Amino acid sequence: AKAGVPPILLVGTPGLGYDYLENLEALTVSDRRVVEVVFAGTNGAASAPLLTADACAAQLGAVVRSLGVQKVSLVAHGLGAVPALRMLERQPTLVSSLSLLSPYG
């Protein structure tokens, strides 16, 4: 990955996989790290007590911290826009940019 360029954190609709997003390959050839987020309690991930926008936003913040980076570029699709926007609202210092693709919610 390019030094100093934030990785892309891909946030899809909770509960859906990422195979429906056909352009993932285009993101990966940009020489930027792409991280697909699977929220706890979805897609066979470990269960969570309640899957709310706040809980998902907290999970996104935890992912950023686990990556050991200062900021990420968020790309959110569908209902993934809700936790992405909530993360931007609650933890703005972790987000360098936000792209919403067909936001819903």
Side-chain angles (χ1 to χ4, degrees), residues 2 23-32 34:
K2 295 179 183 177
N23 295 325
L24 284 181
E25 188 174 344
L27 291 174
T28 60
V29 298
S30 70
D31 199 28
R32 291 179 73 179
V34 177

Side-chain angles (χ1 to χ4, degrees), residues 11-105:
V11 184
T13 298
L16 293 179
Y18 289 90
D19 51 342
Y20 72 100
L21 295 174
E22 297 175 4
N23 295 325
L24 284 181
E25 188 174 344
L27 291 174
T28 60
V29 298
S30 70
D31 199 28
R32 291 179 73 179
R33 183 174 182 189
V34 177
V35 178
E36 298 174 4
V37 176
V38 177
F39 293 106
T42 65
N43 293 348
S47 64
L50 185 58
L51 196 62
T52 64
D54 285 332
C56 289
Q59 288 181 45
L60 292 175
V63 169
V64 174
R65 287 186 290 282
S66 74
L67 293 172
V69 296
Q70 296 293 318
K71 294 179 178 266
V72 294
S73 297
L74 284 175
V75 176
H77 177 263
L79 287 172
V82 177
L85 286 166
R86 188 63 53 89
M87 181 183 171
L88 180 62
E89 175 184 43
R90 302 277 166 89
Q91 303 175 80
T93 60
L94 298 179
V95 180
S96 68
S97 66
L98 172 62
S99 299
L100 301 176
L101 311 172
S102 299
Y104 185 81

